[in-house]
């Protein structure tokens, strides 16, 4: 019987031990076994079951799993099984040599001593069997294994904590090799397609070939650090022809920095190391390719177009968008908005802008912004790049949310975007452009609503059949949006932009990048990016103002007081929006780092200016207006 047991423990078949889907047990027909002995034999036979299950689970993982990390961890599990197999062999040797640790008097091997020999392995084999089953799924990614192993290290059993740490080190070593291949050479290893978050699509143009898969970002890597990793490798890819003799020097310097990252990986260590590598890239490469004056010119272009600082462009684009919506309403479309139609809207707006418009439009142009030239000077004698050629109005295949403003421009989600050319693509990230796009949609929706209300109000002497109370509502709405627009351009965007461009011309690109990140963060915060309820209210006010405008255009003598009251509900939302600003403006502590907390306090001052502008809608001021009506 002991011989059969040792065979089963080494994954061999046996005539007296029965394998089931959940365990292995001694055959119930095996005679002359005391119940307590049968229980000990069954507990030992269960080790054989776990051993077999683990071996079967890792067999295919080691040879063919698409994740290199999974294959490495499976090999480490196989190594642990070999230790168990060696324990079985040592047991057999001890019995044959009559070792007193196992063999008692009259050459009897007590089952209790045998159970003691394998004590502790039940917990270990149960853990590796569960882990082997977890990683064996073909769709399992290396990051899922990394995150699982990190959680396993928090166990209260010392032997399992030590074992999971061992497996975690193996997994992290593989992941670090893929990271270094990208960070040092700008190459995505084919072996790391299921493990590294950097993805390469060779069908795309070079500027759009590399992207980050957020599902493959491990627990120890922050979003900002992941963006920096993507930037570093992409910078090496785009600047490889410019490295010449400095390539080996940069490789040596970065290798020395990356050696600081060792398993078990700590977030603070990898954050600081990647930040140091990025700063090195900026100082050694981008300073030559992307001087600060080029960056500032590009940000100025974005200020003009995507933040609507150029009044001529703003008016031309709004006019073309209104024409587009009218054509759609007249049935000059098949119901499906095509990208070509939307692109033509931007082209016509550019033509109209260049032709020149009257400067006495209702919405004042920012005189501090010169829109006559979109040419960006490039270094090293390269020809200037006209960023207008890289600007596009794109249809978004999304459903607008309660805090989105992208569907107001043309009646369907769309946004202005920029595809920055090299080397600007090394500075302006995809996330930067997304933020600019959302800010554009926000600003454009305000401009559209304000222009529509102003145009209607000018017709009040012609549309005499419309009650005075309705014109009062339009005056309320016009005042509200005019003050919000003026605050955004003159109290927020202009000061923050002036603060950004007030930078020394010799500053390195990394310093400029950090300032630009701060600039965008403050813009997004100032435009209620941290206040979803305020954004919901503004969207609702937008919708009600559109309804109000449409009703006034088609007003008839049959429309009565009930309609006026229904249209006037937006005034309550304006007051609620002001109340939201008053309550949110009180909170500045605990918003992040000390610098971010200081920024929040500064932004409270910006919010206070808006509250002063909208004093008409707060408290007694609002009630007084109602009394006058």
């Amino acid at each position: 019987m002991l011989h059969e047991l040792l065979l089963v423990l080494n994954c061999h078949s046996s005539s007296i031990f029965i394998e089931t889907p959940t365990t292995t047990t001694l055959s119930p027909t095996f005679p002359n076994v005391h119940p307590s002995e049968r229980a000990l034999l069954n507990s030992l036979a269960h080790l054989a079951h776990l051993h077999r299950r683990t071996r079967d689970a890792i067999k295919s993982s080691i040879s063919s799993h698409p994740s290199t990390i999974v294959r490495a961890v499976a090999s480490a599990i196989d190594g642990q099984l070999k230790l168990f197999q060696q324990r079985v062999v040592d047991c057999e040797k001890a019995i044959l040599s009559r070792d007193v640790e196992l063999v008692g008097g009259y050459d009897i091997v007590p089952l209790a001593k045998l159970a003691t020999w394998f004590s502790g392995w039940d917990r270990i084999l149960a853990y590796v069997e569960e882990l082997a089953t977890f990683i064996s799924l073909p769709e399992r990614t290396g990051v899922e294994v990394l995150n699982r192993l990190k959680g396993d290290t928090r166990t209260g059993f010392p032997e399992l904590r030590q074992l999971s740490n061992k497996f975690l080190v193996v997994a992290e070593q593989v992941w670090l090799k893929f990271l270094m291949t990208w960070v040092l050479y700008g190459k995505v290893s084919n072996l790391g397609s299921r493990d590294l978050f950097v993805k390469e699509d060779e069908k795309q143009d070079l500027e759009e070939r590399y992207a980050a898969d957020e599902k493959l970002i491990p627990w120890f890597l922050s979003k900002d650090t992941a963006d920096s990793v993507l930037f570093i490798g992409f910078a090496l890819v785009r600047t490889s022809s410019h490295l010449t003799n400095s390539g080996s020097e940069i490789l040596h310097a970065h290798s020395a920095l990356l050696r600081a990252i060792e398993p078990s990986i700590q977030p603070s260590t990898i954050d600081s190391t990647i930040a140091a590598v990025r700063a090195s890239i900026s100082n050694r490469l981008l300073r030559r390719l992307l001087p600060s004056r080029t960056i500032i010119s590009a940000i100025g272009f974005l200020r003009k177009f995507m933040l609507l600082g150029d009044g001529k462009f703003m008016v031309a684009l709004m006019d073309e968008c209104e024409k587009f919506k009218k054509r759609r309403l007249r049935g000059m479309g098949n119901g499906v908005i095509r990208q070509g139609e939307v692109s033509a809207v931007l082209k016509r707006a550019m033509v109209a802008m260049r032709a020149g418009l009257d400067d006495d439009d209702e919405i004042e142009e920012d005189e501090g912004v010169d829109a006559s030239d979109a040419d960006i000077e490039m270094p090293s004698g390269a020809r200037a790049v006209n960023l207008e050629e890289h600007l596009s109005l794109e249809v978004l295949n999304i459903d607008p949310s309660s805090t989105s403003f992208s569907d107001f421009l043309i009646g369907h989600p769309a946004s202005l975007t920029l595809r920055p050319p090299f080397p600007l693509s090394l500075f302006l990230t995809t996330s930067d452009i997304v933020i600019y796009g959302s800010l554009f949609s926000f600003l454009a929706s305000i401009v559209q609503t304000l222009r529509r209300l102003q145009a209607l109000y000018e017709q009040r002497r012609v549309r005499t059949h419309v009650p005075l109370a309705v014109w009062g509502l339009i005056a309320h709405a016009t005042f509200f949006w005019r003050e919000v627009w003026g605050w955004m351009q003159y109290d927020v965007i202009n000061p923050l932009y002036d603060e950004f461009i007030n930078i020394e011309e010799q500053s390195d690109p990394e310093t400029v990048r950090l300032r630009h990140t701060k600039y965008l963060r403050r813009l997004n915060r100032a435009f209620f990016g941290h206040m979803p309820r305020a954004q919901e209210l503004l969207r609702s006010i937008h919708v009600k103002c559109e309804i109000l405008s449409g009703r006034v255009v088609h007003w008839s003598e049959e429309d009565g007081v009930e309609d006026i009251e229904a249209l006037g509900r937006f005034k309550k939302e304006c007051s609620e929006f002001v109340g939201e600003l008053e309550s949110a403006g009180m909170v500045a502590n605990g918003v992040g780092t000390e610098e971010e907390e200081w920024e929040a306090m500064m932004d409270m001052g910006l919010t206070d200016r808006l509250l002063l502008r909208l004093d008409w809608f707060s408290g007694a001021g609002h009630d007084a207006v109602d009394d006058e009506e």
Side-chain angles (χ1 to χ4, degrees):
M1 185 178 67
L2 287 178
H3 178 69
E4 292 288 333
L5 177 62
L6 293 175
L7 285 175
V8 169
L9 286 172
N10 255 331
C11 293
H12 296 291
S13 59
S14 170
S15 59
I16 66 173
F17 287 93
I18 300 174
E19 180 77 20
T20 68
T22 58
T23 189
T24 299
T25 58
L26 181 67
S27 172
T29 61
F30 192 81
N32 303 323
V33 180
H34 190 274
S36 61
E37 292 179 324
R38 183 178 294 276
L40 283 173
L41 287 169
N42 285 342
S43 66
L44 290 170
H46 185 65
L47 297 181
H49 170 77
L50 294 173
H51 185 191
R52 184 188 298 273
R53 289 260 305 172
T54 306
R55 188 196 63 175
D56 293 343
I58 66 173
K59 186 181 299 182
S60 60
S61 298
I62 291 175
S63 60
S64 60
H65 199 283
S67 167
T68 306
I69 289 179
V70 169
R71 295 201 298 272
V73 173
S75 296
I77 293 174
D78 185 55
Q80 195 66 27
L81 294 184
K82 285 182 171 60
L83 294 177
F84 178 73
Q85 292 163 6
Q86 185 60 47
R87 187 66 173 168
V88 175
V89 172
D90 292 342
C91 177
E92 186 175 11
K93 287 181 179 179
I95 293 173
L96 293 176
S97 64
R98 294 177 173 81
D99 191 322
V100 294
E101 189 176 353
L102 279 177
V103 182
Y106 305 101
D107 292 338
I108 295 174
V109 180
L111 290 179
K113 287 190 175 183
L114 202 61
T116 302
W117 182 270
F118 290 103
S119 64
W121 279 99
D122 53 343
R123 188 177 293 123
I124 291 174
L125 289 178
Y127 169 66
V128 295
E129 186 273 333
E130 182 186 356
L131 179 62
T133 303
F134 174 80
I135 70 175
S136 64
L137 297 178
E139 65 272 18
R140 188 68 66 200
T141 65
V143 168
E144 290 174 325
V145 176
L146 281 167
N147 295 343
R148 158 68 190 265
L149 289 172
K150 182 60 180 178
D152 290 348
T153 61
R154 300 187 180 100
T155 179
F157 298 104
E159 66 274 23
L160 296 189
R161 182 166 60 249
Q162 182 180 2
L163 187 58
S164 55
N165 265 317
K166 174 183 174 181
F167 295 152
L168 180 61
V169 167
V170 170
E172 289 182 348
Q173 285 174 337
V174 175
W175 187 86
L176 282 173
K177 288 180 180 179
F178 295 138
L179 175 73
M180 290 184 180
T181 301
W182 173 249
V183 171
L184 294 178
Y185 304 100
K187 295 180 180 179
V188 178
S189 173
N190 293 331
L191 298 176
S193 60
R194 296 291 294 275
D195 301 322
L196 190 66
F197 62 91
V198 178
K199 295 299 175 185
E200 179 180 12
D201 187 353
E202 295 182 351
K203 297 179 182 179
Q204 296 289 342
D205 294 335
L206 187 56
E207 298 296 332
E208 300 180 359
R209 183 172 299 174
Y210 301 97
D213 184 349
E214 293 189 4
K215 294 180 181 178
L216 295 182
I217 298 178
W219 70 272
F220 49 75
L221 208 63
S222 66
K223 180 62 169 61
D224 289 342
T225 302
D227 289 341
S228 292
V229 169
L230 184 65
F231 164 83
I232 291 167
F234 180 66
L236 292 174
V237 172
R238 291 302 271 116
T239 60
S240 57
S241 60
H242 300 271
L243 293 179
T244 61
N245 296 330
S246 62
S248 58
E249 177 187 344
I250 292 174
L251 178 62
H252 177 75
H254 293 177
S255 297
L257 289 171
L258 290 171
R259 278 198 292 269
I261 308 175
E262 296 179 348
S264 166
I265 300 175
Q266 299 301 316
S268 58
T269 302
I270 195 168
D271 287 350
S272 60
T273 301
I274 294 300
V277 174
R278 177 163 187 160
S280 173
I281 287 284
S282 295
N283 290 330
R284 295 172 183 268
L285 294 178
L286 301 191
R287 187 188 291 271
R288 299 197 304 267
L289 296 175
L290 203 57
S292 58
R293 65 177 182 277
T294 301
I295 297 174
I296 292 174
S297 297
I299 303 305
F301 174 86
L302 291 169
R303 163 73 181 95
K304 297 173 188 177
F305 289 88
M306 299 197 73
L307 299 183
L308 298 181
D310 184 342
K312 293 181 180 179
F313 169 74
M314 178 183 65
V315 172
L317 181 62
M318 297 302 113
D319 286 346
E320 291 300 327
C321 288
E322 289 300 317
K323 292 176 184 177
F324 175 83
K325 289 196 284 189
K326 289 178 181 178
R327 288 196 299 270
R328 302 288 301 183
L329 288 174
R330 290 198 297 267
M332 298 174 64
N334 59 4
V336 178
I337 295 182
R338 303 185 183 279
Q339 180 59 52
E341 299 176 273
V342 178
S343 298
V345 171
L346 180 61
K347 290 180 180 178
R348 286 193 291 269
M350 288 295 190
V351 171
M353 179 190 72
R354 295 189 188 99
L357 295 174
D358 293 335
D359 292 332
D360 58 349
D361 199 273
E362 301 295 342
I363 296 180
E364 299 177 7
E365 177 181 352
D366 180 3
E367 297 178 357
V369 178
D370 178 15
S372 63
D373 190 5
D375 289 343
I376 302 299
E377 180 183 352
M378 290 303 193
S380 304
R383 70 178 184 86
V385 172
N386 190 310
L387 290 184
E388 288 183 11
E389 299 173 1
H390 300 268
L391 201 64
S392 62
L393 187 61
E394 295 189 356
V395 176
L396 304 177
N397 296 318
I398 60 172
D399 293 327
S401 66
S402 61
T403 58
S404 170
F405 297 83
S406 61
D407 55 322
F408 288 105
L409 190 64
I410 59 172
H412 184 280
S415 182
L416 196 66
T417 188
L418 178 73
R419 299 183 183 277
F422 178 79
L424 283 175
S425 56
L426 299 177
F427 179 85
L428 291 170
T429 66
T430 302
S431 58
D432 290 342
I433 299 302
V434 169
I435 293 175
Y436 273 111
S438 64
L439 295 177
F440 164 81
S441 297
F442 189 43
L443 292 166
S445 65
I446 294 175
V447 173
Q448 276 189 314
T449 300
L450 180 55
R451 281 165 55 86
R452 189 177 298 117
L453 291 171
Q454 287 175 328
L456 269 180
Y457 196 71
E458 289 179 352
Q459 301 173 18
R460 64 189 184 279
R461 291 184 177 83
V462 177
R463 299 178 182 272
T464 55
H465 60 288
V466 178
L468 289 177
V470 175
W471 293 119
L473 291 176
I474 294 178
H476 266 77
T478 302
F479 170 81
F480 177 83
W481 288 119
R482 186 174 63 240
E483 293 304 315
V484 171
W485 169 258
W487 172 77
M488 288 178 172
Q489 286 294 336
Y490 300 111
D491 293 341
V492 178
I493 298 179
N494 281 357
L496 293 182
Y497 176 73
D498 291 341
E499 181 181 329
F500 168 74
I501 64 174
N502 186 24
I503 187 172
E504 295 181 7
E505 189 168 317
Q506 299 304 316
S507 297
D508 63 273
E510 181 66 8
T511 299
V512 181
R513 182 189 72 83
L514 293 174
R515 291 189 62 141
H516 180 247
T517 300
K518 175 182 176 182
Y519 166 67
L520 273 187
R521 183 172 64 240
R522 293 193 65 190
L523 277 179
N524 190 54
R525 181 178 177 85
F527 288 177
F528 320 113
H530 63 303
M531 297 170 59
R533 178 54 184 161
Q535 290 184 329
E536 289 176 1
L537 288 169
L538 286 176
R539 179 179 173 85
S540 180
I541 296 170
H542 267 297
V543 172
K544 287 180 173 59
C545 286
E546 284 195 341
I547 296 174
L548 174 62
S549 301
R551 292 296 299 275
V552 170
V553 171
H554 301 93
W555 195 274
S556 67
E557 299 292 343
E558 298 176 355
D559 293 317
V561 177
E562 295 81 5
D563 300 283
I564 298 175
E565 292 177 350
L567 293 174
R569 291 173 187 161
F570 82 90
K571 290 197 297 182
K572 294 181 179 179
E573 292 186 335
C574 291
S575 298
E576 187 179 347
F577 172 75
V578 170
E580 189 74 15
L581 295 184
E582 290 173 339
S583 59
M586 300 297 178
V587 182
N589 295 324
V591 298
T593 65
E594 184 176 342
E595 180 183 5
E596 290 173 343
E597 188 170 315
W598 179 84
E599 290 175 8
M601 294 180 65
M602 295 295 291
D603 294 339
M604 282 177 57
L606 297 178
T607 303
D608 288 343
R609 295 181 185 180
L610 179 58
L611 290 172
L612 288 174
R613 285 175 174 266
L614 297 179
D615 185 57
W616 195 16
F617 287 94
S618 63
H622 185 204
D623 296 337
V625 172
D626 288 339
D627 293 341
E628 290 177 9
E629 293 177 0

